[in-house]
Amino acid sequence: MSNYPLLSLAIWIPIVAGLLVLATGGDRNAPLARLLALLGSIAAFVVTIPLWTGFDHAFVGMQFVELESWIPRFNINYHLGVDGISMLFVVLNAFITIIVVAAGWEVIQEKVGQYMAAFLIMSGLMNGIFTALDGILFYVFFEASLIPLYLIIGVWGGPNRVYAALKFFLYTLMGSLLFLVAQMYLYFQSGGSFSILEWHKLPLELGPQIWIFLAFLIAFAVKVPMWPVHTWLPDAHVEAPTGGSIVLAAIGLKLGAYGFLRFSLPIAPDASHELSTFVIALSLIAVVYIGFVALIQADMKKLVAYSSIAHMGFVTLGFFMFSALGIEGALVQMISHGFVSGAMFFCIGVMYDRVHSRQIADYGGVVNTMPKFAALFMLFSMANAGLPATSGFVGEFMIILGAVKLNFWVAFAAATSLILGAAYTLWMYKRVIFGDVANEHVAELSDINAREFVILLVLAACTLWMGVYPQPFTDVMHASVNDLLHHVAISKIQ
């Protein structure tokens, strides 16, 4: 493990780069703003590479730990660390930031500096969420990350952007207030400590655990989002610019799911077992019902947004089966969803930039004018539907395998999502891409340029790599997942 403060660098390099981009003066120096943003995002990604290469797969516990006193009076510390559960998300977040900066390179022409800066600052704040080991530090990053995304949707979004941004902000903020109340309770129960790792060791009775679990559930369910608090997501995706949709799907939705593993299961293990049937039921509703909702969408972005809710339903299902297959499958699904959903939203953005419509009915025969794009879009559509040899298959297969051990009917209900996923994704692809050229707008389309081709090619490589050879990802998380399951199982026995 490195002696360098890699986690602090992963947090503060993109934030400082974002502030430097803001200092360029916006549109007066747009080329400089773009260049600084790209260099800042690449530098932030480079410092995360040693996290992967230097990570000890066999070590159980936090690695690359940093600990400094922040507010001594209340025992609040600047405490950072990663384990096999969180490290991959730090790397994914830094990687997606480069994709987002490149995606907005030519598309964003107004307030360029502010746009790029918002993504860089948000990237740093999200890395703070994945690495924070102090409850208040986690909460500060958790809430602060709302602000850049709120601005991205509200300033650069579509016609109803203000409504979508407000709805997103209010939903997530209200959920977080209960999270803060639960933290205050844990602070006093632990004798005045905000250390998340110390909270994991608290011998709480079942009654308090249930209340804490419910507070966490509301906060994290909104972020995932789980049914029925999912309604903000389709609005946010439809109105957000392409970059906003990519980062919201690839990273934003993972924050709530990560919260379940860092807070709900280890702090309230008995309540997690007690209420697991309830959470599994909500997850299956998201998987099946939302799949049918996606099937009837006329807007491509809204269809992929509902698809994300269904895929994240798989994730929460995997968590609450309390098996290594389930949790590792859910983590793989989260990483895969970052690649695939990001690529899907980018593909829709590519078409929207040319035709200025997201309606499926406004397309048809795109393969005739954009053959390279059609080929890459097909790969991501297949991955979204869970085709074997793509990353979309691996996580879902592991979760269904784990569900079979738990209950056949739970596995059967979960497996219907593979059918529904194929139905809504491939039906959309068929109507948009295949057939004769539908109208003059499609006839005038130009195929993807070099920048768009490189972005899609990189995402395609990641999707295939994880689908064909997922072992590098599962090896990282294996020891941490087993340790978490051991902790939850021992608590249940006691």
Side-chain angles (χ1 to χ4, degrees), residues 100-182:
V100 166
V101 169
W105 194 266
E106 296 171 356
V107 178
I108 302 300
Q109 296 295 328
E110 295 181 359
K111 300 184 178 68
V112 176
Q114 293 91 325
Y115 178 86
M116 296 295 183
F119 281 107
L120 286 166
I121 292 170
M122 182 167 58
S123 176
L125 294 172
M126 286 181 169
N127 275 343
I129 295 170
F130 292 124
T131 58
L133 297 179
D134 182 276
I136 293 299
L137 185 66
F138 181 95
Y139 188 78
V140 168
F141 284 129
F142 197 68
E143 294 303 288
S145 66
L146 297 178
I147 299 169
L149 192 52
Y150 171 77
L151 293 173
I152 288 164
I153 298 170
V155 176
W156 292 275
N160 296 319
R161 59 186 179 273
V162 175
Y163 165 77
L166 256 177
K167 189 174 181 181
F168 154 74
F169 193 86
L170 290 175
Y171 263 70
T172 49
L173 181 65
M174 288 173 67
S176 300
L177 292 176
L178 283 172
F179 177 47
L180 182 60
V181 172

Side-chain angles (χ1 to χ4, degrees), residues 51-278:
L51 295 178
W52 182 300
T53 58
F55 192 83
D56 185 351
H57 295 179
F59 182 78
V60 176
M62 294 295 165
Q63 302 183 41
F64 305 99
V65 175
E66 299 174 35
L67 177 60
E68 299 290 339
S69 181
W70 180 22
I71 307 176
R73 182 179 176 185
F74 298 106
N75 198 19
I76 300 173
N77 299 310
Y78 179 79
H79 191 187
L80 306 176
V82 289
D83 60 3
I85 292 171
S86 55
M87 186 273 288
L88 289 171
F89 295 109
V90 176
V91 180
L92 176 67
N93 179 37
F95 170 74
I96 290 296
T97 305
I98 300 175
I99 297 294
V100 166
V101 169
W105 194 266
E106 296 171 356
V107 178
I108 302 300
Q109 296 295 328
E110 295 181 359
K111 300 184 178 68
V112 176
Q114 293 91 325
Y115 178 86
M116 296 295 183
F119 281 107
L120 286 166
I121 292 170
M122 182 167 58
S123 176
L125 294 172
M126 286 181 169
N127 275 343
I129 295 170
F130 292 124
T131 58
L133 297 179
D134 182 276
I136 293 299
L137 185 66
F138 181 95
Y139 188 78
V140 168
F141 284 129
F142 197 68
E143 294 303 288
S145 66
L146 297 178
I147 299 169
L149 192 52
Y150 171 77
L151 293 173
I152 288 164
I153 298 170
V155 176
W156 292 275
N160 296 319
R161 59 186 179 273
V162 175
Y163 165 77
L166 256 177
K167 189 174 181 181
F168 154 74
F169 193 86
L170 290 175
Y171 263 70
T172 49
L173 181 65
M174 288 173 67
S176 300
L177 292 176
L178 283 172
F179 177 47
L180 182 60
V181 172
Q183 289 210 46
M184 294 299 106
Y185 176 82
L186 292 168
Y187 173 74
F188 290 112
Q189 288 297 308
S190 60
S193 173
F194 280 108
S195 170
I196 296 171
L197 299 181
E198 287 187 27
W199 288 350
H200 290 181
K201 302 172 186 175
L202 286 176
L204 299 173
E205 297 294 327
L206 180 60
Q209 278 196 37
I210 286 177
W211 286 110
I212 290 168
F213 181 89
L214 291 174
F216 289 157
L217 177 64
I218 292 169
F220 301 140
V222 171
K223 282 272 194 182
V224 168
M226 296 176 69
W227 181 90
V229 288
H230 65 282
T231 57
W232 64 267
L233 184 68
D235 291 323
H237 270 309
V238 166
E239 298 303 325
T242 298
S245 289
I246 292 171
V247 81
L248 177 59
I251 307 298
L253 306 189
K254 312 305 183 294
L255 302 179
Y258 173 73
F260 281 119
L261 295 182
R262 187 61 75 224
F263 288 88
S264 302
L265 268 66
I267 294 174
D270 298 329
S272 298
H273 278 285
E274 197 75 16
L275 298 173
S276 61
T277 303
F278 173 65

Side-chain angles (χ1 to χ4, degrees), residues 380-421:
F380 299 121
S381 297
M382 292 294 185
N384 198 54
L387 183 76
T390 65
S391 62
F393 172 76
V394 180
E396 292 186 359
F397 177 73
M398 291 172 72
I399 294 167
I400 292 171
L401 210 58
V404 170
K405 293 183 177 181
L406 176 73
N407 183 290
F408 170 79
W409 294 109
V410 168
F412 179 81
T416 60
S417 77
L418 297 176
I419 301 167
L420 290 170

